[in-house]
Amino acid sequence: MDIPYTVDPRPDTGLYNGKLGMWLFLASEVMLFGALFSSYVLLRVNALDWPRGADLLNVPLATVNTMILITSSMTMVMSWAALKMNDFGKFRKMLGITIALGTVFLVLKGFEYGDKFSHDHFPSTSTFYAIYFTLTGLHMIHLLAGIIVCAWHAVFGKRFWEKHPEQFTNRIEVTGLYWHFVDLVWLVMFPTLYLT
Amino acid sequence: MSTENIQQQVKAHQKIYVALLVLTLVSAGSVMAGVSAGTTIILVLAVAAVQGLLILLNLMHLKEEQRAMKGLMALCAFFIVFLLVTTSIAYRDTIAGTDKLEQPAAQSNHEEGH
C-alpha cells in the first residue's frame, strides 16, 4: 500500500507529509530553545553582576563560526536546487560541502570548549558558563544530528533517488528546513551569549 | 518548478546569503569597535531579528506556505514572548518581595545601632 501525500501536497494543509511533520517538529524545537532563552533572560536580569560575553568568550572565532554556518545554509539550498535540476552529482558535492562546513563549525567549537576547560572554566564555574555550555552544547548536538542525516543522504541516497526522485528531493528539502533552523538558532545565540 | 525558476530562486538566496554575512559583520564589528553596551544590545538583537526573518521567510520558504503554517510559527513566536513576559513579571515580583523582606531587617539593624 502506498502512503499518500509523500510527494504531492495535501489539499487541506498545502504540504506533503514530511514537510508538515518537520514544521511541527520545528515548532516543538522553538518551545525547547525558547524555554532555555527565557531561562537565560531570567538568570541574567536576576543576577547582581553578569559578565559581558565579549569579555569572556572568543568573539572573532564565534564570528568565523557564524559565517561558516551561514555558508553551509547556502550550500544546503544549492544541493536541493541541484536535485530539482536532476543533477545528482552536484547535489552530492554541495551536500558534501555542507557536511564539511558543519564539521568545521563543530571542530572550532571544540577548540573553544578546550580553551575554556584549560582555563578551568566549566559549567559549574558560574551561572554564565552553566547557561553558555547548556545552550551551545544543545546546539552542537542538533548540528551533529543534521550532519549525520546529511551524510546518510549523501552516501546512501543514490538508490532511493533513482527509484523515487521527487520523494528524495522532498526529503532533502525537509532536511534543509532543519538545517536552516539550526542556523537560525545560532544566529540568535551568537549575539545573546557572545556580544551582549 | 521550472529550471529557470530554480535558478532565479538560487540567485535570490545568494543575495540573502551576502546580506546575512554583512549583518553578522555589523554585529561583531559593533562589539569590537567598542560601541557602548546599551547600544550594542539593541543593535545586535535587532540584527539577529532581521537575520532570523530572512532565513525563516526566504531560505525556509515560509512566505510561500499557506496561512496555517504561518499561524503555527506566529504561535511559537507568541509562546516565546509569553515566556519572556511571565519571567519579567516573576522578576518584578521577586524585587517587590525582597523589598518587603529587607525593610524589617534594615529597621532592626538601625535599632541595634542606637
Side-chain angles (χ1 to χ4, degrees), chain A residues 168-180:
Chain A
F168 184 73
T169 308
N170 284 351
R171 283 186 180 184
I172 296 305
E173 187 183 10
V174 166
T175 308
L177 274 179
Y178 174 80
W179 193 271
H180 299 316

Side-chain angles (χ1 to χ4, degrees), chain B residues 2-21:
Chain B
S2 69
T3 307
E4 205 171 287
N5 283 344
I6 299 286
Q7 282 170 342
Q8 277 179 347
Q9 208 169 44
V10 169
K11 274 182 187 168
H13 287 160
Q14 281 169 344
K15 285 177 188 165
I16 288 159
Y17 165 66
V18 172
L20 288 170
L21 288 182

Side-chain angles (χ1 to χ4, degrees), chain A residues 3-186:
Chain A
I3 299 169
Y5 307 119
T6 52
V7 174
D8 301 317
R10 282 178 66 97
D12 48 0
T13 59
L15 302 169
Y16 53 85
N17 294 342
K19 204 171 186 180
L20 179 65
M22 181 51 78
W23 273 115
L24 290 173
F25 172 68
L26 293 183
S28 74
E29 290 284 275
V30 170
M31 308 290 174
L32 172 68
F33 281 103
L36 282 168
F37 276 113
S38 296
S39 304
Y40 169 82
V41 172
L42 185 67
L43 289 168
R44 185 168 178 160
V45 296
N46 272 306
L48 293 172
D49 184 34
W50 190 265
R52 201 170 175 218
D55 298 333
L56 297 178
L57 304 173
N58 192 335
V59 175
L61 188 67
T63 307
V64 170
N65 248 351
T66 306
M67 295 170 97
I68 286 170
L69 214 52
I70 291 170
T71 308
S72 75
S73 263
M74 191 59 219
T75 53
M76 189 80 216
V77 167
M78 288 172 84
S79 71
W80 167 78
L83 281 183
K84 280 280 186 187
M85 290 187 279
N86 293 317
D87 189 346
F88 192 84
K90 192 180 175 187
F91 152 75
R92 230 177 205 170
K93 191 174 144 191
M94 285 299 153
L95 202 63
I97 295 171
T98 307
I99 293 165
L101 289 168
T103 309
V104 169
F105 179 94
L106 289 182
V107 168
L108 289 179
K109 209 83 198 74
F111 281 130
E112 204 182 328
Y113 270 30
D115 180 57
K116 291 283 156 270
F117 296 149
S118 68
H119 288 92
D120 287 333
H121 293 147
F122 298 101
S124 57
T125 306
S126 67
T127 313
F128 174 81
Y129 278 116
I131 198 82
Y132 162 76
F133 281 112
T134 305
L135 279 169
T136 55
L138 189 66
H139 179 262
M140 281 169 71
I141 291 168
H142 276 78
L143 191 63
L144 184 64
I147 289 170
I148 291 168
V149 171
C150 287
W152 176 270
H153 287 314
V155 177
F156 303 109
K158 177 88 172 170
R159 196 180 291 174
F160 193 76
W161 158 256
E162 284 166 351
K163 280 184 185 171
H164 309 284
E166 287 186 356
Q167 198 177 341
F168 184 73
T169 308
N170 284 351
R171 283 186 180 184
I172 296 305
E173 187 183 10
V174 166
T175 308
L177 274 179
Y178 174 80
W179 193 271
H180 299 316
F181 175 78
V182 174
D183 185 12
L184 196 156
V185 168
W186 177 256

Side-chain angles (χ1 to χ4, degrees), chain B:
Chain B
M1 206 182 278
S2 69
T3 307
E4 205 171 287
N5 283 344
I6 299 286
Q7 282 170 342
Q8 277 179 347
Q9 208 169 44
V10 169
K11 274 182 187 168
H13 287 160
Q14 281 169 344
K15 285 177 188 165
I16 288 159
Y17 165 66
V18 172
L20 288 170
L21 288 182
V22 170
L23 286 169
T24 301
L25 288 174
V26 167
S27 279
S30 69
V31 174
M32 291 175 197
V35 178
S36 70
T39 312
T40 304
I41 288 175
I42 294 166
L43 179 73
V44 299
L45 292 182
V47 166
V50 172
Q51 285 180 314
L53 279 175
L54 281 174
I55 289 181
L56 201 58
L57 295 175
N58 296 290
L59 297 189
M60 296 173 82
H61 303 144
L62 188 65
K63 68 177 180 185
E64 293 157 23
E65 300 297 352
Q66 287 193 1
R67 197 176 283 178
M69 279 305 107
K70 289 174 187 166
L72 180 71
M73 283 299 112
L75 197 66
C76 291
F78 171 76
F79 170 77
I80 292 175
V81 172
F82 175 76
L83 273 179
L84 290 173
V85 168
T86 47
T87 48
S88 301
I89 290 169
Y91 167 66
R92 288 180 71 181
D93 283 351
T94 310
I95 294 297
T98 310
D99 285 352
K100 280 172 195 168
L101 287 170
E102 279 177 359
Q103 271 176 352
Q107 274 179 354
S108 64
N109 286 343
H110 186 69
E111 282 162 12
E112 278 171 21
H114 281 288

